[in-house]
Amino acid sequence: MLAEDQGISDRATEDMLLGTLDDAAVAELDEAASGAGIDIDLLRSTPARDIRAQIEAVLTLLQDVDHRALLAKQGFFSRLTGADVEARLRFEISAQQVISAVARLREAALAGRRLRRLLAEARRDLDSEQERLQAVIAAAQALLGREAGTDGFARDRFERRLASIMALHAANILTLGQMVLAEGVLDRLLDRCTDVDTLIIPLWQRHAFALAQAAGHQTFSKAAQDFTDTHRHLIAHLEQDARI
């Protein structure tokens, strides 16, 4: 909330504490209760779901990386018929598709980091809003108690407004809890995306290149084992992300 808006709210709260229960008090309660809404980008965005969708896309493509077929096409007959070249080409294409999908995952993670910052700001703003609403509710209840003998249309309106503000305060408590949960889920997903992007994928890509370029039985066997281990580790890591 802007400092100017906070000042207006504080003055309205003070007026309620000092005033009487009339139409002016209803207007002061409305003024004191008004606040900023949640950023529209947060309402329209689903960063955790978007990241999970990209993780699933990467996993699907990883399942299609058929390094076993490449391993099976290394015999004399396969080399004679060119089957080894075809298997190598298929392997290279599927590996490139994985890299392209990881690039899209990286973009989803970047968007998630931006939304994570907005979410933290929104939670801080809502914390401040709760403190303000609590002060408004306390001032309004004090006025109702001080004017206990007052009846009429103004009191009814004031009580309805106060009930709505108290309902908003209660809803904000639930919203803050959901924000904390969302931040936790997003933090874990983003941490794992960083692991994949900065550690696992670069290693996987190097082993994929080594396997595609390997020549000779001993060199090929070592490259195949290294790639298989990294491939399994990458899949296991991403499957863990998908369950968050």
Side-chain angles (χ1 to χ4, degrees):
M1 175 181 288
L2 296 175
E4 182 181 354
D5 293 336
Q6 181 65 55
I8 293 172
S9 175
D10 290 343
R11 287 195 300 274
T13 302
E14 291 172 4
D15 288 342
M16 276 191 293
L17 288 171
L18 299 173
T20 58
L21 211 168
D22 52 18
D23 289 342
V26 175
E28 287 158 1
L29 183 58
D30 289 341
E31 183 180 37
S34 62
I38 295 176
D39 192 310
I40 192 65
D41 284 345
L42 286 175
L43 297 177
R44 291 188 299 202
S45 301
T46 54
R49 187 173 67 186
D50 295 342
I51 291 172
R52 286 194 185 100
Q54 293 304 324
I55 288 174
E56 293 290 347
V58 174
L59 278 169
T60 297
L61 289 170
L62 283 170
Q63 301 294 345
D64 291 337
V65 178
D66 196 358
H67 57 287
R68 292 176 297 273
L70 181 59
L71 300 179
K73 300 296 182 181
Q74 297 305 309
F76 173 77
F77 184 74
S78 294
R79 291 195 297 272
L80 186 65
T81 61
D84 63 328
V85 176
E86 181 181 354
R88 192 182 305 273
L89 181 60
R90 289 181 180 276
F91 176 80
E92 291 173 354
I93 291 173
S94 58
Q96 185 54 52
Q97 289 174 333
V98 169
I99 297 302
S100 297
V102 169
R104 292 190 291 274
L105 173 59
R106 187 180 304 119
E107 292 174 0
L110 284 173
R113 290 186 180 91
R114 173 181 172 273
L115 267 298
R116 175 64 179 84
R117 290 191 293 271
L118 289 178
L119 186 59
E121 292 172 6
R123 184 166 59 82
R124 287 193 295 270
D125 289 345
L126 196 55
D127 277 330
S128 298
E129 177 84 349
Q130 284 294 83
E131 292 179 8
R132 189 181 62 78
L133 288 179
Q134 202 161 345
V136 170
I137 291 168
Q141 288 175 332
L143 178 57
L144 282 172
R146 191 170 66 248
E147 301 282 320
T150 304
D151 293 317
F153 187 55
R155 183 183 183 89
D156 291 342
R157 290 174 63 210
F158 192 88
E159 288 178 337
R160 286 198 300 272
R161 297 289 202 286
L162 178 57
S164 296
I165 293 171
M166 293 175 70
L168 177 60
H169 184 271
N172 283 346
I173 293 173
L174 296 177
T175 300
L176 284 166
Q178 289 300 316
M179 283 181 168
V180 171
L181 290 175
E183 286 177 313
V185 169
L186 198 50
D187 283 342
R188 291 192 292 274
L189 279 171
L190 290 172
D191 282 347
R192 293 190 180 277
C193 284
T194 298
D195 291 342
V196 168
D197 195 32
T198 61
L199 299 173
I200 305 176
I201 275 293
L203 186 61
W204 182 91
Q205 194 171 10
R206 284 162 175 74
H207 287 324
F209 177 81
L211 181 57
Q213 301 300 319
H217 178 72
Q218 185 173 359
T219 303
F220 189 86
S221 296
K222 175 65 167 60
Q225 187 59 55
D226 289 342
F227 176 80
T228 299
D229 291 344
T230 306
H231 189 70
R232 288 173 178 169
H233 179 52
L234 177 56
I235 289 176
H237 199 80
L238 289 173
E239 285 179 338
Q240 185 177 9
D241 292 339
R243 292 192 295 268
I244 291 176

CSV table of all heavy atoms in Angstrom, one decimal, residues 47 51 103-117 186 190 193-194 197:
chain,number,residue,atom,x,y,z
A,47,PRO,N,2.9,-20.8,-12.5
A,47,PRO,CA,4.3,-21.2,-12.7
A,47,PRO,C,4.7,-22.6,-12.4
A,47,PRO,O,5.4,-23.2,-13.2
A,47,PRO,CB,5.1,-20.2,-11.9
A,47,PRO,CG,4.1,-19.7,-10.8
A,47,PRO,CD,2.8,-19.7,-11.5
A,51,ILE,N,6.0,-25.3,-15.2
A,51,ILE,CA,7.3,-25.9,-15.1
A,51,ILE,C,7.1,-27.5,-15.1
A,51,ILE,O,7.9,-28.2,-15.8
A,51,ILE,CB,8.0,-25.5,-13.8
A,51,ILE,CG1,8.5,-24.0,-13.9
A,51,ILE,CG2,9.3,-26.4,-13.5
A,51,ILE,CD1,9.0,-23.4,-12.6
A,103,ALA,N,15.6,-26.3,-23.2
A,103,ALA,CA,15.6,-24.8,-23.4
A,103,ALA,C,14.2,-24.3,-23.0
A,103,ALA,O,14.1,-23.2,-22.4
A,103,ALA,CB,16.0,-24.5,-24.8
A,104,ARG,N,13.2,-25.0,-23.4
A,104,ARG,CA,11.8,-24.5,-23.0
A,104,ARG,C,11.6,-24.6,-21.5
A,104,ARG,O,10.9,-23.7,-20.9
A,104,ARG,CB,10.8,-25.3,-23.8
A,104,ARG,CG,10.8,-25.0,-25.3
A,104,ARG,CD,9.6,-25.7,-26.0
A,104,ARG,NE,9.6,-27.1,-26.0
A,104,ARG,CZ,10.3,-27.8,-27.0
A,104,ARG,NH1,10.9,-27.2,-27.9
A,104,ARG,NH2,10.3,-29.2,-26.9
A,105,LEU,N,12.1,-25.6,-20.9
A,105,LEU,CA,12.1,-25.7,-19.4
A,105,LEU,C,12.8,-24.6,-18.8
A,105,LEU,O,12.3,-24.0,-17.8
A,105,LEU,CB,12.7,-27.1,-19.0
A,105,LEU,CG,12.8,-27.3,-17.5
A,105,LEU,CD1,11.5,-27.2,-16.8
A,105,LEU,CD2,13.5,-28.6,-17.2
A,106,ARG,N,13.9,-24.2,-19.4
A,106,ARG,CA,14.7,-23.1,-18.8
A,106,ARG,C,13.8,-21.8,-18.9
A,106,ARG,O,13.8,-21.0,-18.0
A,106,ARG,CB,16.0,-22.9,-19.6
A,106,ARG,CG,16.9,-21.8,-19.1
A,106,ARG,CD,18.2,-21.7,-20.0
A,106,ARG,NE,18.8,-23.0,-20.1
A,106,ARG,CZ,19.0,-23.7,-21.2
A,106,ARG,NH1,18.6,-23.1,-22.4
A,106,ARG,NH2,19.6,-24.8,-21.3
A,107,GLU,N,13.1,-21.6,-20.0
A,107,GLU,CA,12.2,-20.4,-20.1
A,107,GLU,C,11.1,-20.4,-19.1
A,107,GLU,O,10.8,-19.4,-18.5
A,107,GLU,CB,11.7,-20.4,-21.6
A,107,GLU,CG,12.7,-20.1,-22.7
A,107,GLU,CD,12.1,-20.2,-24.0
A,107,GLU,OE1,10.9,-20.5,-24.1
A,107,GLU,OE2,12.8,-20.0,-25.0
A,108,ALA,N,10.6,-21.6,-18.9
A,108,ALA,CA,9.5,-21.7,-17.9
A,108,ALA,C,10.1,-21.4,-16.5
A,108,ALA,O,9.4,-20.8,-15.6
A,108,ALA,CB,8.9,-23.1,-17.9
A,109,ALA,N,11.3,-21.9,-16.2
A,109,ALA,CA,11.9,-21.6,-14.9
A,109,ALA,C,12.2,-20.1,-14.8
A,109,ALA,O,12.0,-19.5,-13.7
A,109,ALA,CB,13.2,-22.4,-14.8
A,110,LEU,N,12.6,-19.4,-15.8
A,110,LEU,CA,12.8,-18.0,-15.8
A,110,LEU,C,11.5,-17.2,-15.4
A,110,LEU,O,11.5,-16.3,-14.6
A,110,LEU,CB,13.4,-17.5,-17.1
A,110,LEU,CG,14.9,-17.8,-17.4
A,110,LEU,CD1,15.2,-17.4,-18.8
A,110,LEU,CD2,15.8,-17.1,-16.4
A,111,ALA,N,10.4,-17.6,-16.1
A,111,ALA,CA,9.1,-17.1,-15.8
A,111,ALA,C,8.7,-17.4,-14.4
A,111,ALA,O,8.2,-16.5,-13.7
A,111,ALA,CB,8.1,-17.6,-16.8
A,112,GLY,N,9.0,-18.6,-13.9
A,112,GLY,CA,8.7,-19.0,-12.5
A,112,GLY,C,9.5,-18.1,-11.5
A,112,GLY,O,8.9,-17.8,-10.5
A,113,ARG,N,10.7,-17.8,-11.8
A,113,ARG,CA,11.5,-16.9,-10.9
A,113,ARG,C,10.9,-15.5,-10.8
A,113,ARG,O,10.9,-14.9,-9.7
A,113,ARG,CB,13.0,-16.9,-11.3
A,113,ARG,CG,13.7,-18.2,-11.1
A,113,ARG,CD,15.2,-18.1,-11.4
A,113,ARG,NE,15.8,-19.4,-11.2
A,113,ARG,CZ,16.0,-20.4,-12.1
A,113,ARG,NH1,15.5,-20.1,-13.4
A,113,ARG,NH2,16.5,-21.5,-11.8
A,114,ARG,N,10.5,-15.0,-12.0
A,114,ARG,CA,9.8,-13.7,-11.9
A,114,ARG,C,8.6,-13.7,-11.1
A,114,ARG,O,8.3,-12.9,-10.3
A,114,ARG,CB,9.5,-13.3,-13.4
A,114,ARG,CG,8.7,-12.0,-13.4
A,114,ARG,CD,8.4,-11.6,-14.9
A,114,ARG,NE,7.4,-10.5,-14.9
A,114,ARG,CZ,6.1,-10.6,-14.8
A,114,ARG,NH1,5.6,-11.8,-14.8
A,114,ARG,NH2,5.3,-9.5,-14.8
A,115,LEU,N,7.7,-14.8,-11.3
A,115,LEU,CA,6.5,-14.9,-10.5
A,115,LEU,C,6.8,-15.2,-9.0
A,115,LEU,O,6.0,-14.7,-8.2
A,115,LEU,CB,5.6,-16.0,-11.1
A,115,LEU,CG,4.6,-15.6,-12.1
A,115,LEU,CD1,3.6,-14.6,-11.5
A,115,LEU,CD2,5.2,-15.0,-13.3
A,116,ARG,N,7.9,-15.8,-8.8
A,116,ARG,CA,8.3,-16.1,-7.4
A,116,ARG,C,8.6,-14.8,-6.7
A,116,ARG,O,8.2,-14.6,-5.5
A,116,ARG,CB,9.5,-17.0,-7.3
A,116,ARG,CG,10.1,-17.2,-5.9
A,116,ARG,CD,9.1,-18.0,-5.1
A,116,ARG,NE,9.7,-18.2,-3.7
A,116,ARG,CZ,9.7,-17.3,-2.7
A,116,ARG,NH1,9.1,-16.1,-2.9
A,116,ARG,NH2,10.2,-17.6,-1.6
A,117,ARG,N,9.2,-13.8,-7.4
A,117,ARG,CA,9.5,-12.5,-6.8
A,117,ARG,C,8.2,-11.8,-6.5
A,117,ARG,O,8.0,-11.1,-5.5
A,117,ARG,CB,10.4,-11.7,-7.7
A,117,ARG,CG,11.8,-12.2,-7.7
A,117,ARG,CD,12.8,-11.3,-8.4
A,117,ARG,NE,12.5,-11.1,-9.8
A,117,ARG,CZ,13.0,-11.9,-10.8
A,117,ARG,NH1,13.8,-12.9,-10.4
A,117,ARG,NH2,12.7,-11.7,-12.0
A,186,LEU,N,7.3,-23.8,-5.4
A,186,LEU,CA,8.1,-23.2,-6.5
A,186,LEU,C,9.6,-23.1,-6.2
A,186,LEU,O,10.4,-23.3,-7.1
A,186,LEU,CB,7.5,-21.8,-6.7
A,186,LEU,CG,7.8,-21.1,-8.0
A,186,LEU,CD1,7.5,-21.9,-9.2
A,186,LEU,CD2,7.0,-19.8,-8.1
A,190,LEU,N,12.3,-24.8,-8.7
A,190,LEU,CA,13.3,-23.9,-9.3
A,190,LEU,C,14.7,-24.4,-8.9
A,190,LEU,O,15.6,-24.3,-9.7
A,190,LEU,CB,13.1,-22.5,-8.8
A,190,LEU,CG,11.8,-21.8,-9.4
A,190,LEU,CD1,11.6,-20.4,-8.8
A,190,LEU,CD2,12.0,-21.6,-10.9
A,193,CYS,N,15.4,-27.3,-11.1
A,193,CYS,CA,15.6,-26.8,-12.5
A,193,CYS,C,17.0,-26.3,-12.7
A,193,CYS,O,17.7,-26.5,-13.7
A,193,CYS,CB,14.6,-25.7,-12.9
A,193,CYS,SG,12.9,-26.4,-13.2
A,194,THR,N,17.5,-25.6,-11.6
A,194,THR,CA,18.9,-25.1,-11.7
A,194,THR,C,19.9,-26.2,-11.7
A,194,THR,O,20.9,-26.2,-12.4
A,194,THR,CB,19.1,-24.2,-10.4
A,194,THR,OG1,18.3,-23.1,-10.5
A,194,THR,CG2,20.6,-23.7,-10.4
A,197,ASP,N,19.8,-27.7,-15.2
A,197,ASP,CA,20.3,-26.8,-16.2
A,197,ASP,C,21.8,-26.6,-16.1
A,197,ASP,O,22.5,-26.5,-17.1
A,197,ASP,CB,19.5,-25.5,-16.2
A,197,ASP,CG,19.8,-24.6,-17.4
A,197,ASP,OD1,19.9,-25.2,-18.5
A,197,ASP,OD2,19.8,-23.4,-17.3
